[in-house]
Amino acid sequence: MNNRLRELRAELNWSQADLADQLAVSRQTINAIETGKYDPSLPLAFAIAKLFGLSIESIFSPDE
Amino acid sequence: MWKDYWCAGTSRSYWLLSGALGVAYVLAMMLEVQLDASTPTPLRVLAAVFPALLILGLAAVEFRRIRNTDELRQRMELEAGMLALAIGVPVLTAIGLLNEAELTGIPFIMGVPILLLIYIAAQVWTHRRYQ
């Protein structure tokens, strides 16, 4: 799955640690999502979407 | 980063409890190897069963720690646990059978430390996989 997490985080000048704190996950989780090594659970995807004020599908998209 | 990884989900009570159970396990093992046929049977039974209870306690403490971690860490722990089981059980079986055939003389009490080492190695592997 592809995602725009790194891009959205950069727009707000947040570090991975900042984002991790707001989502109550580890920095490693944010890094793994950004690098595509880990796909978040649905609750975490919803939390990410809510934090950025976007829909899930505008952040995450399936592999072509 | 490694500190974050190894300390994830831990608390002061986790370290105190797991430390106390670990020390108790080592002491129980030291007592176990001192016993012989002249030791009263109830004491030998107690010495044989007690370490198993300590291992159950350690497993419960570890289970609680894992439940306090985030979803990626839980996945990593699951992968590490399954990997440790997949490698550890054949290794311990082979050691047991080699001992049975009198080709090796690895003490039975080394089983838990061997399994623990395999589990730690599996954790390092899963950690690197998601880095």
Side-chain angles (χ1 to χ4, degrees), chain B residues 80-131:
Chain B
M82 291 311 295
L83 195 60
L85 208 59
I87 296 170
V89 169
V91 166
L92 293 181
T93 302
I95 288 173
L97 292 173
L98 286 168
N99 276 354
E100 193 74 18
E102 296 181 356
L103 294 169
T104 56
I106 299 170
F108 176 73
I109 61 169
M110 290 305 292
V112 171
I114 289 172
L115 203 55
L116 208 57
L117 282 175
I118 293 171
Y119 179 51
I120 291 169
Q123 281 189 320
V124 170
W125 182 79
T126 53
H127 176 65
R128 290 192 169 163
R129 190 164 169 240
Y130 287 102
Q131 242 179 349

Side-chain angles (χ1 to χ4, degrees), chain A residues 1 22-25 29-30 33 38-52 54-56 59-60, chain B residues 70-72 74:
Chain A
M1 191 157 67
Q22 294 186 72
L23 294 167
V25 295
T29 300
I30 300 300
I33 294 171
Y38 174 67
D39 293 331
S41 66
L42 200 52
L44 181 55
F46 270 113
I48 292 168
K50 187 179 176 188
L51 185 64
F52 288 108
L54 298 167
S55 61
I56 288 181
I59 301 175
F60 298 95
Chain B
D70 76 351
E71 60 182 55
L72 174 61
Q74 286 180 7

Side-chain angles (χ1 to χ4, degrees), chain A residues 2-17:
Chain A
N2 303 309
N3 70 78
R4 298 170 50 217
L5 198 58
R6 189 186 296 271
E7 173 195 333
L8 294 168
R9 180 174 61 76
E11 282 174 10
L12 295 170
N13 280 326
W14 287 347
S15 65
Q16 287 184 338

